[in-house]
Amino acid sequence: MPPHGPSLEPVTTARLADERARIAAQIAALKAERDEIAKAREGANVDDEHDPEGATIAFEHARLGALLEQAQDHLMALGRAEQRLRDGVLDECERCGSAISSARREARPAATTCIRCASGGRR
């Protein structure tokens, strides 16, 4: 049976759905935390250079922004993985065509390459 055959689809679909829900919750939490930081910035001295707390607030705001961007990128990757599942090619490396192992799929549900291609082993 091919790696993307029907027997794997329900498990993979559920795994992608679980990951999507986890990332959506993470995005909501990051947005809430970012909003709290923004509120704190409103009442704080905005002269980050001379205010010891200002640099911390600015750093936290930037850190949350980066984490939020990563989570949103991951959510988009999950959407692409769901499309690859519908197309029947989820477990096929998009670079070399080899199978993506179940261990890699478990670790990275949205992976589009096999471990060898991901580590730069194939060109």
Side-chain angles (χ1 to χ4, degrees):
M1 178 174 284
H4 53 272
S7 65
L8 291 181
E9 192 168 321
V11 172
T12 304
T13 299
R15 176 70 169 106
L16 289 173
D18 289 348
E19 185 72 2
R20 178 178 283 283
R22 185 184 72 78
I23 294 299
Q26 181 183 24
I27 288 171
L30 288 167
K31 284 181 177 180
E33 192 174 347
R34 185 188 60 188
D35 291 347
E36 288 298 315
I37 296 271
K39 287 178 188 175
R41 284 179 91 177
E42 288 174 7
N45 182 354
V46 292
D47 183 8
D48 287 353
E49 184 178 339
H50 298 100
D51 180 9
E53 287 300 309
T56 302
I57 291 171
F59 172 79
E60 281 302 308
H61 192 265
R63 182 185 71 82
L64 288 170
L67 290 172
L68 185 56
E69 186 175 323
Q70 287 175 342
Q72 290 168 332
D73 288 348
H74 188 59
L75 196 59
M76 288 190 317
L78 287 167
R80 289 189 300 273
E82 289 166 339
Q83 183 59 53
R84 287 174 53 84
L85 176 62
R86 286 189 294 275
D87 293 344
V89 295
L90 179 65
D91 291 324
E92 183 179 302
C93 177
E94 68 181 10
R95 288 182 72 195
C96 73
S98 295
I100 296 174
S101 71
S102 59
R104 177 155 171 78
R105 177 67 53 219
E106 182 62 30
R108 298 187 54 93
T112 60
T113 56
C114 66
I115 192 70
R116 190 166 175 193
C117 287
S119 63
R122 289 190 184 131
R123 300 255 178 233

